[in-house]
């Protein structure tokens, strides 16, 4: 099937340097979000505003071709004319990479600065689209997406020269004189699939890493956050080099079509089910894939002796559940493990805190859509689960809202305890001794994150040593996401491949091994014709510590 690609008017203005490369000047954007669907969403009474850009653009958007996906209204601000298909999009990006333009450090810096300008100049629009898609409050949007991105891009800009510099490695003395280097090089053309719950962060964070590493990038935002997707499609070409960065809109069918092509790396954020499809398709081209998936993140709460410690722990638990996209986040706390005797006190503080934190409706994001609302409501319809509700539990199908809900010991074989919850329901599971919680965690697939609130250093060590997860955070929740020095990613069923900060740079780079020798010395024992003497020499070369030998020869070591 041939897809139209549209060339927008917006031309990239390089900042900070005048480097231009002889590459195709096209800026294809491939759009497949049905116009009617988006218009219907924009009219929805749940969405308090319309995107002015979209409203304006809708009039100018070209009519969809009968053989092609329809055109998203956001494209209308830029006059578009049909070009080629996805194949030509990928080959165009390959040409850009081959021209060397993306490798240039000045170009990479200009892209990161472009991202920073996008994040500062369009802050208000970003608040609008995040509220439109998910009902997020501006403060939550700034904390989890815009502010976190600004912090991360600044960190990358500060460190880029160091990360991109060749790193010296140790060369064996026997090869003297020689130099060993690890030289990072861009992978080429990479594809980023993002998810709807942090629709800006999960698109722009990997994008910034891929650009810092010198790649050309295609971003495929989630169709389930259409306002943010449209925002990205409209603004990325205005702030970043449209020759090297493309936004492709659409749903699963577009995702599958993208995966028909050869990429130098794919970073996929989403569910394990779709992750399997992506992996299977990637195998055809041996495309390496990083999978950022979900899991049930446990939170172990030890007995905390002071009221202050308990309140701080509960603030952080409530924040890591209900104030993080209403629990619709991969890092959100899924369930709490606590000793039986400490559970009643914990629940009381949790109840009063969540009431305070969600006193007004705009303090909690809303459930994404009817499908997710039904999924979450069905957990609570289970008779035994309903009996375990100790706080909240009410649902409103008209507004698609679910009250912050606390369950005490729901059945362990119920859906709410076997599936990732991804919503504002918090089960509390009691254990006899807090040490038993590790066995519980180990009995489930390895999670993306484990949280534990405790002052007990021995327990902390045991959690680190006796469990496996993408991260472990003590006495807080979710904040590890914005610690650039730490890798972000899962293990086992919660994913593979880590990014953020230097780890993003590494994820999107090839660490090329470079070894430079001279013609000065030549050992003939490494070549045939073979004899036993040569084995002896090889044995020496492989097993002798030449530094110790040298120290011995000059009398510094006996
Ligand atoms: P999803 O897996 O359905 O979709 C994610 C992306 O894949 C979207 O861009 C979508 O268009 C695309 N897609 C869907 N079907 C496809 C197909 N057949 N072929 C190619 N692409 C396809 O997203 P979801 O299930 O709504 O996401 C929720 C899950 O994502 C949860 O499990 C959550 O924990 C996880 N998640 C993980 C992270 C992380 O960083 N680890 C972050 C956010 C969400």
């Amino acid at each position: 099937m041939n897809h139209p690609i549209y060339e927008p008017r917006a031309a990239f203005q390089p900042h900070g340097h005048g480097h231009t490369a002889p590459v195709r000047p096209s800026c294809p954007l491939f759009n497949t979000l049905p116009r009617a669907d988006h218009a219907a969403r924009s009219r929805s009474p749940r969405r308090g505003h319309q995107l002015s850009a979209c409203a304006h653009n809708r009039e100018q958007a070209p009519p969809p071709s009968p053989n092609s996906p329809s055109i998203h209204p956001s494209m209308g601000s830029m006059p578009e004319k049909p070009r080629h298909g996805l194949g030509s999009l990928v080959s165009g990006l390959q040409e850009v990479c081959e021209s060397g333009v993306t490798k240039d450090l000045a170009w990479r810096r200009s892209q990161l600065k472009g991202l920073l300008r996008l994040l500062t100049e369009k802050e208000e629009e970003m608040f609008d689209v995040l509220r439109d898609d998910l009902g997020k409050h501006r403060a939550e949007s700034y904390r989890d997406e815009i502010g976190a991105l600004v912090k991360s891009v600044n960190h990358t800009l500060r460190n880029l020269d160091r990360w991109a510099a060749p790193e010296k490695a140790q060369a064996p003395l026997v090869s003297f004189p020689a130099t060993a280097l690890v030289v990072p090089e861009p992978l080429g053309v990479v594809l980023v699939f993002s998810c709807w719950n942090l629709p800006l962060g999960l698109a722009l964070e990997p994008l910034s890493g891929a650009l810092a590493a010198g790649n050309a990038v295609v971003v495929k935002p989630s169709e389930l956050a259409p306002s943010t997707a449209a925002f990205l499609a409209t603004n990325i070409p205005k702030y970043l080099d449209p020759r090297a960065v493309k936004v492709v809109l659409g749903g699963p069918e577009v995702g599958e079509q993208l995966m028909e092509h050869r990429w130098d790396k794919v970073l996929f954020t989403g569910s394990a089910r779709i992750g399997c499809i992506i992996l299977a398709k990637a195998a055809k081209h041996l495309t390496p894939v990083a999978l950022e998936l979900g899991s049930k993140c446990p939170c172990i709460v030890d007995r905390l002796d002071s009221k202050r410690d308990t309140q701080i722990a509960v603030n952080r638990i409530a924040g890591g559940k209900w104030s993080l996209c209403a629990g619709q986040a991969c890092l959100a706390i899924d369930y709490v493990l606590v000793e039986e005797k400490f559970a009643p006190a914990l629940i009381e503080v949790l109840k009063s805190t969540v009431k305070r934190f969600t006193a007004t409706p705009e303090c909690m994001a809303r459930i994404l859509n009817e499908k997710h609302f039904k999924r979450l409501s069905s957990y609570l319809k289970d008779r035994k689960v309903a009996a375990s509700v100790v706080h909240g539990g009410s649902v409103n199908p008209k507004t698609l809202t679910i009250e912050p809900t606390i369950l005490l010991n729901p059945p362990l074989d119920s859906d709410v305890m076997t599936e990732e919850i991804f919503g504002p329901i918090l089960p509390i599971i009691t254990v006899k001794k807090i040490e038993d919680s590790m066995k519980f965690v180990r009995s489930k697939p390895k999670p993306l994150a484990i949280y534990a609130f405790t002052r007990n250093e021995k327990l902390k060590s045991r959690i680190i040593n006796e469990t496996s997860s993408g991260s472990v955070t003590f006495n807080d929740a979710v904040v590890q996401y914005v610690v650039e020095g730490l890798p972000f990613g899962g293990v086992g069923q919660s994913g593979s491949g880590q990014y953020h900060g230097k780890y993003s740079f590494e994820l999107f780079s090839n660490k090329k091994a470079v070894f430079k020798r001279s013609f000065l010395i030549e050992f003939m024992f490494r070549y045939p014709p073979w004899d036993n003497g040569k084995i002896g020499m090889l044995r020496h070369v492989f097993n002798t510590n030449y530094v110790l030998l040298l120290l011995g020869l000059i009398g510094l070591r006996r």
Side-chain angles (χ1 to χ4, degrees):
M1 187 168 142
N2 222 10
H3 303 285
I5 290 179
Y6 297 90
E7 189 171 343
R9 189 202 292 140
F12 168 68
Q13 303 289 327
H15 291 268
H17 72 108
H19 187 119
T20 49
V23 289
R24 288 172 11 151
S26 70
C27 169
L29 277 166
F30 181 78
N31 253 293
T32 60
L33 205 62
R35 186 195 311 207
D37 183 43
H38 184 268
R41 284 182 66 100
S42 296
R43 280 196 303 272
S44 153
R46 293 172 64 223
R47 288 158 208 279
H49 72 106
Q50 290 212 345
L51 282 176
S52 57
C54 292
H56 165 68
N57 297 339
R58 206 168 292 133
E59 283 145 36
Q60 298 180 24
S65 136
N67 298 327
S68 69
S70 49
I71 310 308
H72 190 272
S74 68
M75 297 302 301
S77 65
M78 300 167 277
E80 299 145 5
K81 54 183 193 289
R83 283 186 63 87
H84 316 284
L86 276 181
S88 112
L89 178 141
V90 179
S91 60
L93 289 169
Q94 282 161 350
E95 276 179 44
V96 175
C97 283
E98 276 158 29
S99 77
V101 63
T102 63
K103 218 170 179 178
D104 178 15
L105 271 179
W107 180 89
R108 303 188 206 182
R109 269 195 293 273
S110 78
Q111 299 311 294
L112 295 170
K113 286 179 185 163
L115 257 184
L116 278 181
R117 283 190 301 113
L118 166 68
L119 290 165
T120 43
E121 290 172 16
K122 296 284 174 183
E123 189 180 276
E124 279 304 319
E125 267 185 57
M126 288 186 277
F127 285 146
D128 285 350
V129 293
L130 292 171
R131 192 183 57 216
D132 197 44
D133 283 330
L134 290 153
K136 284 192 190 181
H137 190 278
R138 296 155 66 88
E140 183 182 336
S141 295
Y142 190 81
R143 182 194 64 182
D144 297 348
E145 307 219 49
I146 304 161
L149 281 165
V150 169
K151 180 173 175 295
S152 159
V153 177
N154 273 323
H155 174 80
T156 304
L157 268 169
R158 275 197 304 276
N159 290 286
L160 182 59
D161 286 351
R162 199 162 46 87
W163 296 344
E167 209 178 295
K168 265 203 160 184
Q170 212 180 357
L173 211 60
V174 70
S175 64
F176 179 84
T179 316
L181 293 173
V182 180
V183 179
E185 64 175 9
L187 291 174
V189 184
V190 305
L191 171 62
V192 171
F193 283 95
S194 77
C195 196
W196 51 264
N197 60 332
L198 292 172
L200 275 180
L202 296 173
L204 299 185
E205 179 69 46
L207 172 64
S208 69
L211 291 173
N215 298 283
V217 189
V218 170
V219 177
K220 212 303 264 147
S222 170
E223 72 285 6
L224 299 178
S227 293
T228 310
F231 170 86
L232 292 171
T234 305
N235 287 291
I236 281 184
K238 293 180 186 163
Y239 286 87
L240 303 181
D241 186 344
R243 294 167 301 175
V245 186
K246 313 285 185 194
V247 179
V248 173
L249 297 185
E253 70 294 348
V254 171
E256 295 207 14
Q257 286 160 21
L258 281 165
M259 286 308 298
E260 294 300 327
H261 296 272
R262 182 186 299 278
W263 303 93
D264 294 301
K265 184 105 187 192
V266 171
L267 183 141
F268 170 82
T269 301
S271 61
R273 190 178 68 82
I274 307 299
C276 287
I277 297 174
I278 299 286
L279 266 190
K281 291 205 170 260
K284 202 166 102 190
H285 296 296
L286 290 179
T287 296
V289 180
L291 293 174
E292 306 297 334
L293 310 175
S295 66
K296 286 181 85 65
C297 299
C299 175
I300 298 167
V301 184
D302 193 8
R303 166 182 279 284
L304 295 166
D305 290 326
S306 82
K307 268 192 175 171
R308 184 174 180 276
D309 282 5
T310 306
Q311 184 60 63
I312 291 175
V314 166
N315 291 345
R316 294 172 186 181
I317 294 168
K321 181 69 179 183
W322 295 289
S323 92
L324 187 66
C325 201
Q328 301 167 110
C330 55
L331 281 177
I333 294 170
D334 192 282
Y335 62 94
V336 165
L337 291 161
V338 64
E339 281 185 11
E340 265 168 18
K341 48 185 187 286
F342 187 51
L346 179 71
I347 289 169
E348 282 320 301
V349 189
L350 264 173
K351 281 182 188 174
S352 59
T353 305
V354 70
K355 267 190 212 150
R356 249 187 307 123
F357 281 12
T358 57
T360 52
E362 67 272 16
C363 285
M364 194 170 85
R366 64 166 170 266
I367 304 307
L368 174 74
N369 56 24
E370 208 173 313
K371 182 176 152 205
H372 282 275
F373 174 81
K374 282 188 176 154
R375 177 181 62 80
L376 289 161
S377 311
S378 77
Y379 292 153
L380 299 175
K381 278 186 189 147
D382 178 322
R383 202 172 38 81
K384 287 185 186 157
V385 173
S388 73
V389 173
V390 290
H391 179 79
S394 67
V395 302
N396 185 338
K398 282 198 189 120
T399 54
L400 300 188
T401 46
I402 292 184
E403 196 184 357
T405 298
I406 302 172
L407 312 175
L408 179 60
N409 287 324
L412 295 181
D413 60 355
S414 58
D415 288 348
V416 80
M417 280 313 296
T418 55
E419 292 172 10
E420 181 186 14
I421 297 174
F422 223 61
I425 302 169
L426 181 67
I428 295 187
I429 306 297
T430 58
V431 286
K432 284 256 177 287
K433 287 196 289 113
I434 199 65
E435 287 75 15
D436 299 342
S437 56
M438 280 172 287
K439 193 170 167 210
F440 189 93
V441 170
R442 275 200 309 270
S443 72
K444 310 228 167 254
K446 295 176 183 178
L448 192 57
I450 294 176
Y451 304 110
F453 289 84
T454 179
R455 281 183 178 268
N456 181 339
E457 294 302 323
K458 203 166 155 211
L459 181 66
K460 287 181 196 171
S461 301
R462 285 196 61 189
I463 291 171
I464 296 172
N465 295 328
E466 295 176 28
T467 64
S468 180
S469 56
S471 64
V472 181
T473 300
F474 293 108
N475 301 331
D476 212 329
V478 188
V479 289
Q480 76 274 18
Y481 184 76
V482 288
V483 180
E484 286 95 4
L486 290 176
F488 171 74
V491 55
Q493 290 183 38
S494 55
S496 57
Q498 297 168 314
Y499 71 118
H500 284 204
K502 186 173 188 210
Y503 299 94
S504 297
F505 183 89
E506 289 180 350
L507 186 86
F508 292 113
S509 296
N510 171 40
K511 286 187 170 184
K512 188 155 65 184
V514 175
F515 193 55
K516 296 180 187 166
R517 289 214 63 207
S518 89
F519 292 104
L520 198 64
I521 302 170
E522 178 71 324
F523 294 120
M524 292 310 289
F525 60 79
R526 53 189 272 215
Y527 308 112
W530 301 121
D531 57 44
N532 285 341
K534 287 186 177 177
I535 297 180
M537 289 304 287
L538 288 167
R539 240 188 258 287
H540 267 297
V541 167
F542 288 141
N543 299 323
T544 306
N545 184 330
Y546 289 92
V547 177
L548 294 184
L549 185 68
L550 193 70
L551 290 175
L553 287 175
I554 59 175
L556 291 178
R557 187 178 174 277
R558 272 199 267 165

